[in-house]
Amino acid sequence: MMDYTLRQHGRAALDFLSSFGPAVKDLIQQQHAALDAKGLDDATLSDDLDERAAEIEGVLKAVPAFRAANLLGEWHAEHHGRVAKDAFEEIHDDLSPEFDRLSKGATELHPNPTLKIPKYWDYPIHRTTGGWDGHRHMGFIHGCLVQRILDKNTSPPTSGVTVPDAYAVRRQVAEQAPRRDYEHIVDVGCQSGLYTLKLAEVFPDAHITACDISIAQLEQVQRNANTHGHTWTLLHADACATDLEDQSCDLFTSYILLHELPQHVIREVVQEGFRILRPGGDLLFADVAPYSELGKRAEWRTDYLARFGGEPYWRGSATIDMVQILKDAGFADIRYDGMPPSNFPWITCARKP
């Protein structure tokens, strides 16, 4: 990762935001107690998610702990991007020479001015103002500030559940791949390249191609690659239309991409993976757990956070029949389960015969 030093104001503001997740644990427990008191549990709640939401939220709307957690979550959603951007602006002048230096090296970036940007991608995912290219340096802001400081060892801002170290998890995901002799790995929806770096650690002899629609994210991928002396191919391209040759890679992978995509796009990405994989090659996706693996309360809470947290495609990705989609595309030896010990992230792995 790039070295940088935040100013005191920016560091304090980001530290304040990173405290939100642990702060709501007690509020979540109070909500559970209120639901228990009304007898709303997995045995009594409706099977239909929307009806269940009405049941649960009808009780919780009178619970101060629910309103307080929502206030914290809304403030976080509205301000985390702005706070991270402001922290970046304080050190922008310090970083400019390093940005210039790392734009040159073994990993080169060639923007694609004719790339057709899909309509769904313009949605402000994560409530990020302007989307993934909403700021000239969104790759650094999101990859080094939002993720590195806000996500590491914290939790979604109203979940009350601490998630594992996101950086260690990325390497563990790469290690889920069935083989260690891959020659060409394609990382689609690579964002700022944090997972790509872990792929390079686990598969040091493989050539890596990283693909993303966002040029700002790819610029940060380039910096990360050149910081570590990697020679990667960067594609300014859509994951479902990479323009790579048929049967040209042997691992097609992504980390936490699918829940950002509409269902029809997920199908197209799987089909693209099958097209460019060599026979015997593997597909490996890591993402959020399907709703079918959650209890009724947990399913509601996850969906509630997605609805109000800027995740319009989460429910679709969490209810899609991934196993059938993989079979329809032609994949075999399908694995579809949670990664131990916490079932996060959810692993989808399959082989092209």
Side-chain angles (χ1 to χ4, degrees):
M1 298 291 295
M2 292 177 57
D3 291 328
Y4 60 90
T5 302
L6 290 169
R7 298 286 190 271
Q8 190 278 334
H9 180 272
R11 183 177 66 252
L14 288 166
D15 286 346
F16 172 72
L17 278 175
S18 69
S19 69
F20 275 38
V24 300
K25 288 184 179 180
D26 184 60
L27 299 176
I28 299 298
Q29 292 305 314
Q30 292 179 50
Q31 294 173 41
H32 283 305
L35 295 174
D36 289 340
K38 292 293 185 179
L40 294 180
D41 56 24
D42 283 7
T44 60
L45 284 164
S46 173
D47 292 333
D48 180 83
L49 180 53
D50 292 321
E51 292 178 3
R52 192 186 325 149
E55 293 171 343
I56 292 174
E57 292 162 35
V59 170
L60 292 183
K61 67 182 181 181
V63 177
F66 182 59
R67 298 199 299 272
N70 285 345
L71 176 64
L72 288 173
E74 180 65 18
W75 198 93
H76 187 285
E78 282 288 321
H79 293 281
H80 76 279
R82 178 190 60 77
V83 168
K85 178 181 71 66
D86 290 348
F88 166 77
E89 296 294 353
E90 294 177 344
I91 60 174
H92 182 201
D93 290 344
D94 298 341
L95 289 170
S96 291
E98 190 73 350
F99 283 179
D100 290 340
R101 183 181 71 84
L102 294 174
S103 68
K104 306 172 183 66
T107 295
E108 298 181 348
L109 172 59
H110 302 287
N112 178 7
T114 64
L115 177 63
K116 183 178 179 181
I117 305 300
K119 184 176 181 180
Y120 76 85
W121 191 81
D122 285 332
Y123 188 92
I125 296 292
H126 300 172
R127 306 272 290 272
T128 300
T129 302
W132 292 125
D133 277 340
H135 186 281
R136 174 68 180 79
H137 294 294
M138 185 61 79
F140 180 90
I141 291 169
H142 192 269
C144 287
L145 300 182
V146 174
Q147 289 192 353
R148 187 173 188 175
I149 294 177
L150 302 187
D151 291 353
K152 190 174 182 180
N153 291 319
T154 66
S155 60
T158 57
S159 71
V161 178
T162 299
V163 301
D165 182 330
Y167 295 89
V169 167
R170 284 174 170 84
R171 181 183 174 100
Q172 292 163 9
V173 167
E175 291 170 342
Q176 302 302 303
R179 293 163 43 192
R180 291 295 178 270
D181 62 343
Y182 299 116
E183 296 178 358
H184 182 200
I185 296 172
V186 176
D187 176 15
V188 291
C190 61
Q191 299 181 44
S192 60
L194 303 180
Y195 176 53
T196 324
L197 286 170
K198 297 304 179 183
L199 288 168
E201 289 180 9
V202 177
F203 307 103
D205 297 326
H207 179 69
I208 293 178
T209 295
C211 163
D212 205 284
I213 291 174
S214 168
I215 196 65
Q217 297 294 326
L218 287 171
E219 287 173 345
Q220 185 62 23
V221 179
Q222 181 187 37
R223 296 176 194 127
N224 285 331
N226 286 333
T227 294
H228 294 273
H230 295 309
T231 305
W232 297 343
T233 298
L234 302 186
L235 288 183
H236 186 205
D238 195 320
C240 55
T242 63
D243 287 333
L244 291 168
E245 294 183 0
D246 292 355
Q247 301 185 17
S248 58
C249 73
D250 40 21
L251 178 63
F252 182 85
T253 186
S254 74
Y255 181 84
I256 312 297
L257 169 68
L258 302 185
H259 74 280
E260 315 282 23
L261 307 177
Q263 288 187 339
H264 74 278
V265 178
I266 294 175
R267 293 186 179 91
E268 292 171 1
V269 171
V270 169
Q271 293 164 359
E272 177 71 355
F274 191 86
R275 180 186 71 80
I276 68 173
L277 278 168
R278 300 176 184 127
D282 296 309
L283 173 148
L284 174 65
F285 293 154
D287 220 278
V288 299
Y291 282 175
S292 61
E293 298 297 322
L294 304 177
K296 288 183 178 179
R297 281 192 191 175
E299 181 184 6
W300 163 78
R301 184 170 300 282
T302 299
D303 194 73
Y304 184 85
L305 294 175
R307 279 190 281 142
F308 294 101
E311 298 282 6
Y313 310 117
W314 191 308
R315 183 189 289 198
S317 73
T319 56
I320 198 170
D321 190 342
M322 278 298 297
V323 172
Q324 190 59 53
I325 288 173
L326 291 163
K327 289 179 179 178
D328 291 344
F331 284 100
D333 298 337
I334 297 169
R335 171 190 170 190
Y336 190 63
D337 57 23
M339 195 172 74
S342 61
N343 275 349
F344 177 85
W346 199 262
I347 298 297
T348 300
C349 188
R351 180 181 58 85
K352 179 176 178 177

